[in-house]
Amino acid sequence: MTTAQRFDHSRLEIVERTECLRLLSSVPLGRLVYTSGGLPAVRLVNFVIDDDTIVFSSARGDKFRAAERGDVVAFEADDVDLERHNGWTVTAIGRLSVVTDDEAGELRRVLPLHSWLPMDDPALVRVGVESVHGRRLVPWGKRPRTGA
């Protein structure tokens, strides 16, 4: 059963949770938005999706400390076709946490987790996705004539 497309006031298609997670799993890079020293910080990370969590490797720096604290963070990824002027963006909100050593070993065996940066003794960090929102810019002919 297909659901009818829904659009927001900007005529962007609203993407449902399951599709948001599928879209996230289709790209290798995303942006982690967290707090460092009381200020917003954004870091590009390569990641994988494990059910409804986002998992990535981290050195023992600011991101790791945010995970140790259990900070609430945002995670954003997107894909855009610059020639066709269409694409999507997904933002997930959740709590950051450090993956235990035992679970990290298992995740490294079953998930394609490979840091793009050289790190000594990287830890695994996860975002437990509590909410996720996505928008898709669809081709002109598929957009509604007026905003929702």
Side-chain angles (χ1 to χ4, degrees):
M1 177 177 169
T2 47
T3 58
Q5 286 180 300
R6 293 183 351 194
F7 293 85
D8 67 9
H9 68 281
S10 299
R11 299 183 195 149
L12 297 173
E13 180 186 8
I14 298 169
V15 181
E16 299 300 326
R17 180 183 179 87
T18 303
E19 178 68 357
C20 284
L21 293 172
R22 187 195 70 74
L23 290 169
L24 282 175
S25 69
S26 74
V27 295
L29 291 173
R31 286 166 288 286
L32 178 71
V33 183
Y34 64 103
T35 302
S36 177
L39 297 172
V42 180
R43 297 292 180 269
L44 193 62
V45 297
N46 63 296
F47 69 99
V48 297
I49 297 293
D50 180 34
D51 291 325
D52 61 353
T53 65
I54 298 162
V55 182
F56 58 92
S57 294
S58 175
R60 312 257 177 206
D62 290 342
K63 294 186 305 265
F64 183 79
R65 285 189 291 279
E68 286 182 312
R69 291 189 305 264
D71 289 1
V72 173
V73 298
F75 189 88
E76 192 271 342
D78 50 54
D79 189 30
V80 177
D81 183 329
L82 296 176
E83 288 185 23
R84 293 187 176 98
H85 297 181
N86 59 29
W88 57 266
T89 184
V90 170
T91 303
I93 306 294
R95 194 164 298 279
L96 208 54
S97 64
V98 177
V99 176
T100 65
D101 290 339
D102 289 341
E103 188 180 2
E106 177 61 22
L107 288 176
R108 285 189 173 101
R109 281 190 287 282
V110 299
L111 295 176
L113 286 160
H114 306 288
S115 176
W116 290 11
L117 296 174
M119 285 188 249
D120 296 326
D121 192 29
L124 291 187
V125 172
R126 74 163 36 109
V127 179
V129 177
E130 296 173 20
S131 69
V132 63
H133 305 281
R135 297 292 185 265
R136 182 181 286 133
L137 182 60
V138 298
W140 284 101
K142 295 184 179 182
R143 294 178 198 168
R145 292 190 180 276
T146 60

